[in-house]
Amino acid sequence: MSVAFPRWATPVAWAITVVSLVGFAAFAATRLPAAVHGAPDFPNYYIGGERLLSGEPVYGPIGEDVRVLFGVDDYESYPADPPATVALLAPLSLLPYATAWWLFFALSAVLLAGVGYSTAKEVAWSRPLAVAVGATMLVTSAGRFLLLRNHMEAILLLLLFLGWRALRRGRDFEGGAWWGFAAALKLFPAFLIVGLFAAHRTKAAKSALITGVVATGLGVTILGWDNTIAFVREVLPVSKQWYGALGNYSLLSFGTALAAEPLGWALAAAGAAGLTWWYWRRAETVDQVLAGGVAAMLLISPLSWLNYLVLAVPGVIVIAHRLDLRTAGGRWTLLGLAGALGFWGPIVLAERVPSVLLSFIPMYGLLASFVLVMRRAET
């Protein structure tokens, strides 16, 4: 049964769809051709996969490889994903680079639009509104950044959606398995397991744990022990260079950018304790487990890049489903969340503190979405 919306919602939805698709076409035509040839971060996946398939060490600088392939100097990115992710994406390296790039781009675009549409339909929104959500996913700041750099978080988005939908329909073993696989690919989705235990979905939590361990074990087996040790000892510690970077919206990054790394760690520790405590006490429904868990894990994780915010969009839809959009307060709340999490980017001013306070608007959006979704549902 569809949710009742005002009569004007349908023409507005179609208008949003048209504007989004035109904007996406313009973005694709103007930005993507140059991105195919050596722009970060797809070479990390491709060259990491080449190294794996040829038996070379996977982790380490790839600047020389990029210079040889594309003539691009000073390439600073490097393979930095867990073993399971490297193993999953390695087959792309069997294709010519440009073919692999466009194939992965197309997959990500379809997943962004498809998950946006399917999430809206899952909460009983009308087809025009669901189509508008799917189209908008392609033009959010996070969506465009993900597609421009050809990141893998659209796969993560799919896994989180599949797990959420299965759990909503009572298929706990399946739902937990999807989320466990997501945790093996990117580590921080493991936080959702806390919510599953809190919501007394023990079967799903155990399934997630088992799947996560098995998938991680397979990744370690495929990459080998030396590569795994390199990931733990070399890749993870290097991530501290990005603490405080504009575009990294974690609590740790906010404190580091505002003052220094010790403040960042203090905020991260306090946030982790407070968010986990609240999450444990209030996560009662699957919707709360997903939306609250995603917001919290992105705040707690040391790295929470702009492209990761695509994972928060289903949570915004869940919150919108609970808001009374007939009221001005409900509409402004939704617009605020959509703007903060969907259409904000770094702002650089002459003074550091104003730049930080304005650039971290998405972090405030994550905090707001966590608070909104974790409030007990009114009867």
Side-chain angles (χ1 to χ4, degrees):
M1 182 177 179
S2 296
V3 175
F5 281 92
R7 186 174 299 176
W8 51 261
T10 296
V12 168
W14 288 123
I16 290 173
T17 300
V18 171
V19 170
S20 296
L21 292 179
V22 170
F24 175 70
F27 161 76
T30 57
R31 301 296 303 278
L32 297 185
V36 179
H37 301 291
D41 289 301
F42 186 74
N44 305 349
Y45 304 140
Y46 189 85
I47 294 172
E50 279 190 328
R51 290 178 174 180
L52 173 62
L53 296 175
S54 63
E56 301 175 53
V58 168
Y59 299 106
I62 61 172
E64 180 61 21
D65 301 82
V66 173
R67 189 189 66 79
V68 171
L69 275 172
F70 307 109
V72 175
D73 294 320
D74 302 321
Y75 186 91
E76 297 181 354
S77 296
Y78 47 86
D81 288 284
T85 305
V86 176
L88 178 68
L89 300 181
L92 287 169
S93 302
L94 298 172
L95 301 171
Y97 183 88
T99 303
W101 197 99
W102 283 110
L103 179 64
F104 199 62
F105 166 83
L107 173 65
S108 295
V110 169
L111 290 181
L112 288 178
V115 171
Y117 172 86
S118 300
T119 302
K121 290 298 292 181
E122 181 67 20
V123 296
W125 285 14
S126 67
R127 188 178 301 276
L129 286 172
V131 171
V133 170
T136 303
M137 288 286 286
L138 298 172
V139 293
T140 63
S141 298
R144 285 182 285 113
F145 189 76
L146 181 150
L147 293 170
L148 186 65
R149 295 200 165 212
N150 227 351
H151 263 271
M152 57 76 62
E153 284 74 31
I155 295 175
L156 207 62
L157 178 68
L158 173 66
L159 296 175
L160 296 184
F161 167 76
L162 291 174
W164 171 67
R165 186 176 66 175
L167 289 164
R168 272 182 135 232
R169 299 178 182 185
R171 303 197 299 267
D172 282 23
F173 182 84
E174 176 190 340
W178 287 121
W179 284 3
F181 188 33
L185 295 182
K186 211 63 179 180
L187 303 183
F188 54 71
F191 188 77
L192 296 173
I193 300 174
V194 175
L196 291 174
F197 278 117
H200 305 292
R201 306 296 285 264
T202 306
K203 181 179 179 181
K206 291 179 179 178
S207 174
L209 284 170
I210 294 170
T211 305
V213 169
V214 170
T216 299
L218 286 173
V220 170
T221 301
I222 294 170
L223 262 68
W225 191 245
D226 289 342
N227 278 319
T228 303
I229 292 297
F231 172 73
V232 174
R233 292 182 178 176
E234 299 173 18
V235 175
L236 293 181
V238 171
S239 66
K240 69 179 299 179
Q241 68 179 302
W242 306 114
Y243 302 166
L246 300 184
N248 175 11
Y249 299 116
S250 68
L251 291 168
L252 171 57
S253 183
F254 176 69
T256 303
L258 197 59
E261 190 176 325
L263 176 61
W265 280 112
L267 285 178
L275 292 168
T276 303
W277 176 82
W278 197 350
Y279 190 51
W280 180 261
R281 288 179 59 87
R282 292 294 185 93
E284 298 175 347
T285 69
V286 173
D287 288 358
Q288 288 177 310
V289 172
L290 174 75
V294 168
M297 73 189 190
L298 293 179
L299 289 165
I300 295 170
S301 173
L303 300 181
S304 186
W305 294 111
L306 173 60
N307 43 290
Y308 293 6
L309 294 181
V310 298
L311 306 177
V313 174
V316 173
I317 297 171
V318 167
I319 292 168
H321 184 61
R322 297 174 56 160
L323 292 172
D324 186 355
L325 298 179
R326 295 170 297 180
T327 67
R331 292 193 294 271
W332 281 110
T333 298
L334 177 58
L335 285 173
L337 287 177
L341 296 174
F343 297 96
W344 202 267
I347 296 175
V348 180
L349 303 174
E351 297 295 328
R352 176 175 180 170
V353 171
S355 295
V356 172
L357 293 178
L358 286 174
S359 292
F360 277 80
I361 291 292
M363 187 196 74
Y364 313 149
L366 290 171
L367 285 167
S369 64
F370 179 83
V371 171
L372 286 167
V373 80
M374 296 314 296
R375 293 186 308 179
R376 295 186 185 275
E378 297 180 2
T379 57

